[in-house]
Amino acid sequence: MGGVWLLGPWPSVDGALLWRFVSEDIWPAALLVGDWAGLFEWLARVPALGPAIGNTLLLGLLGSVGALLVALMLWPLASRHFGNRATRLAGHGVLIFLRSTPELMLAFVFLLLLGPSLLPAWLALALHNGALIAFLVARQADAITPGMPGLPASGRLAYELLPRVYPGLLALLYYRAEVILRETAILGMLGVATLGFYIEEGFDYLMFDVAFFLLLITAALNIAVDALSRRLRPREAPLDDPCVR
């Protein structure tokens, strides 16, 4: 209740305007009057969905793959099985910085350095989400007791620890893949030609019907990716650890 009070002052909302927005403004005028020919003409004015959906999926896929690579490279830096106290503190510091910095801020910095393209958005998504996954994987690895203590660090990583944490790493990656796809809409505000870019453009030019239609397309795309990731994620944790044997 205190938080609700601190959020004030609350604006006065005109109920008539709110009802007009949800009942008229976000729907094509041709649809409201049943003019199907006019509806097809309205659809012709909608921005090209093919490139926008393609860029959204491309950025989501590249962000997921980049997050996987970043996680594979960074999690050993924060694990007790590698390095010394100083290197582990430095590794934890890098992970804290990357996972606590919002993707939008990272993308804005990379945009200033690299110019407008998909690259700043990809770097921001890969670094932030990869660092988050790496932190969780390092905690999982810290709970593992190596069964072959005589191995060098490279052998311990490649033959004992990585095979045991990799299934959990992939499960986290599939979960973050859904989040990454949703974040592409936010990064569209930086000029990346994803669905989010055209949604913001629709609101900027008060084309609420177009923006709402693109929001529905984005929601359907996220639902499809969520269903796919649920099928790919392991349903149960493996009961038999082959590395124990």
Side-chain angles (χ1 to χ4, degrees), residues 76-124:
L77 300 179
S79 175
R80 67 179 179 87
H81 299 290
F82 306 99
N84 52 46
R85 182 176 178 82
T87 60
R88 286 193 293 273
L89 284 175
H92 276 293
V94 170
L95 294 183
I96 289 173
F97 172 76
L98 291 178
R99 75 174 189 268
S100 61
T101 306
E103 298 93 328
L104 189 60
M105 186 178 298
L106 287 174
F108 182 72
V109 172
F110 287 127
L111 183 68
L112 295 178
L113 295 174
L114 303 173
S117 68
L118 288 177
L119 182 58
W122 173 67
L123 289 173

Side-chain angles (χ1 to χ4, degrees), residues 32-244:
L32 295 177
V33 299
D35 181 8
W36 301 111
L39 183 61
F40 285 114
E41 294 178 3
W42 175 85
L43 286 173
R45 296 196 301 269
V46 173
L49 292 179
I53 293 176
N55 286 332
T56 301
L57 291 175
L58 177 63
L59 183 56
L61 179 61
L62 288 176
S64 301
V65 174
L68 172 62
L69 297 177
V70 170
L72 288 174
M73 290 188 294
L74 293 186
W75 78 261
L77 300 179
S79 175
R80 67 179 179 87
H81 299 290
F82 306 99
N84 52 46
R85 182 176 178 82
T87 60
R88 286 193 293 273
L89 284 175
H92 276 293
V94 170
L95 294 183
I96 289 173
F97 172 76
L98 291 178
R99 75 174 189 268
S100 61
T101 306
E103 298 93 328
L104 189 60
M105 186 178 298
L106 287 174
F108 182 72
V109 172
F110 287 127
L111 183 68
L112 295 178
L113 295 174
L114 303 173
S117 68
L118 288 177
L119 182 58
W122 173 67
L123 289 173
L125 291 172
L127 289 174
H128 175 82
N129 292 281
L132 179 59
I133 295 172
F135 169 73
L136 298 174
V137 171
R139 294 190 63 180
Q140 179 187 355
D142 287 346
I144 296 175
T145 301
M148 295 176 284
L151 286 176
S154 58
R156 190 160 60 248
L157 172 65
Y159 297 111
E160 186 163 13
L161 292 175
L162 185 58
R164 298 170 75 173
V165 301
Y166 195 70
L169 189 154
L170 284 184
L172 290 169
L173 180 69
Y174 285 132
Y175 164 68
R176 294 303 299 182
E178 308 163 22
V179 180
I180 287 172
L181 189 66
R182 290 194 291 270
E183 289 170 345
T184 59
I186 300 175
L187 294 178
M189 292 188 296
L190 297 179
V192 182
T194 61
L195 283 169
F197 171 78
Y198 294 106
I199 291 172
E200 191 209 4
E201 186 180 59
F203 281 115
D204 287 343
Y205 289 99
L206 303 182
M207 296 185 298
F208 300 129
D209 51 349
V210 174
F212 182 66
F213 176 72
L214 295 176
L215 279 172
L216 293 179
I217 297 296
T218 305
L221 194 62
N222 279 278
I223 291 172
V225 172
D226 177 72
L228 178 62
S229 65
R230 287 177 184 273
R231 294 183 65 89
L232 295 176
R233 280 201 303 263
R235 297 180 181 272
E236 297 179 359
L239 299 178
D240 182 28
D241 188 348
C243 294
V244 174

Side-chain angles (χ1 to χ4, degrees), residues 9-24:
W10 293 92
S12 58
V13 179
D14 189 333
L17 290 178
L18 179 62
W19 175 248
R20 175 184 170 181
F21 177 77
V22 299
S23 62
E24 297 182 18

